[in-house]
Amino acid sequence: KAGVTQTPRYLIKTRGQQVTLSCSPISGHRSVSWYQQTPGQGLQFLFEYFSETQRNKGNFPGRFSGRQFSNSRSEMNVSTLELGDSALYLCASSYPGGDEQFFGPGTRLTVL
Amino acid sequence: AQSVSQHNHHVILSEAASLELGCNYSYGGTVNLFWYVQYPGQHLQLLLKYFSGDPLVKGIKGFEAEFIKSKFSFNLRKPSVQWSDTAEYFCAVNAQGNTPLVFGKGTRLSVIA
């Protein structure tokens, strides 16, 4: 079974731009969660989607948004990028009713 | 709100030394507990998990962890580390019922020959 995939793997943007990251969960998984990983703050929860609905949301500004499609694939969008948004963005999926999350390789976003 | 504390930021051990990484969490309800590992350049992988039952759980690659409810702790152990165990280790917790994972800041383990 293929794992969680994320595209692109690396991204360089400049301040003020916006970016969209994509995540394809493991087949059969319907829950997708997003995390931001930085050296200073560690891993912080952004949001979780289940069946195209946002089920949980972390403490991030409204510039961070996401969505989920009917095939469970998810995208997250960051508008008006700031230098502090440079991070590794991780996506994780889980099967219905499951508490274990399976992580993708991440998208490394650098904001210049 | 839940929080997770990992006591050691960076641990350096010689090969064959024993390992114990501390993890404490704060949450009053029933929790699931996890240890994840991130090898250099690789994605987060699950080492072991505790949902219920025997508080001593065994994971992959010879790792084990013990859940001590009275101490809100879930320490990771390995009797004899190898150079290939060099990685970053994250403790995480979530409340039962599909809630977000809360991670500790991680412990970087360096194993030297």
Side-chain angles (χ1 to χ4, degrees), chain A residues 5-20:
Chain A
T5 58
Q6 293 186 244
T7 57
R9 293 293 310 278
Y10 302 91
L11 208 47
I12 299 175
K13 292 286 188 178
T14 56
R15 278 182 299 173
Q17 287 187 309
Q18 75 162 23
V19 67
T20 299

Side-chain angles (χ1 to χ4, degrees), chain A residues 74-111:
Chain A
S74 177
E75 289 182 347
M76 68 163 280
N77 184 278
V78 188
S79 63
T80 320
L81 284 165
E82 300 176 0
L83 295 178
D85 297 333
S86 294
L88 181 67
Y89 290 88
L90 295 170
C91 168
S93 72
S94 59
Y95 50 86
D99 283 322
E100 180 178 343
Q101 295 186 21
F102 297 82
F103 284 81
T107 294
R108 172 77 61 189
L109 171 64
T110 302
V111 182

Side-chain angles (χ1 to χ4, degrees), chain A residues 9 31 35 37 40-43 45 48 55-56 88 90 94-106, chain B residues 9 32 34 36 38 41-46 49 51 88 90 94-105:
Chain A
R9 293 293 310 278
S31 170
Y35 296 84
Q37 185 178 15
Q41 298 299 318
L43 282 135
F45 171 73
E48 182 211 359
R55 188 159 66 174
N56 289 294
L88 181 67
L90 295 170
S94 59
Y95 50 86
D99 283 322
E100 180 178 343
Q101 295 186 21
F102 297 82
F103 284 81
Chain B
H9 179 63
N32 302 312
F34 306 83
Y36 282 88
Q38 193 171 36
Q42 296 188 29
H43 61 276
L44 274 170
Q45 299 172 39
L46 182 69
K49 60 191 178 188
F51 288 173
E88 188 143 19
F90 294 92
N94 68 356
Q96 290 187 354
N98 283 94
T99 60
L101 280 170
V102 176
F103 283 86
K105 292 282 178 73

Side-chain angles (χ1 to χ4, degrees), chain A residues 6-73:
Chain A
Q6 293 186 244
T7 57
R9 293 293 310 278
Y10 302 91
L11 208 47
I12 299 175
K13 292 286 188 178
T14 56
R15 278 182 299 173
Q17 287 187 309
Q18 75 162 23
V19 67
T20 299
L21 313 181
S22 181
C23 170
S24 292
I26 292 170
S27 177
H29 288 194
R30 288 166 57 195
S31 170
V32 173
S33 298
W34 289 89
Y35 296 84
Q36 181 195 65
Q37 185 178 15
T38 58
Q41 298 299 318
L43 282 135
Q44 294 185 288
F45 171 73
L46 280 155
F47 28 65
E48 182 211 359
Y49 287 87
F50 179 78
S51 292
E52 301 178 66
T53 302
Q54 188 180 85
R55 188 159 66 174
N56 289 294
K57 188 178 188 305
N59 189 25
F60 277 81
R63 300 185 297 106
F64 292 81
S65 63
R67 60 178 175 167
Q68 187 181 34
F69 302 94
S70 58
N71 62 358
S72 295
R73 190 177 70 85

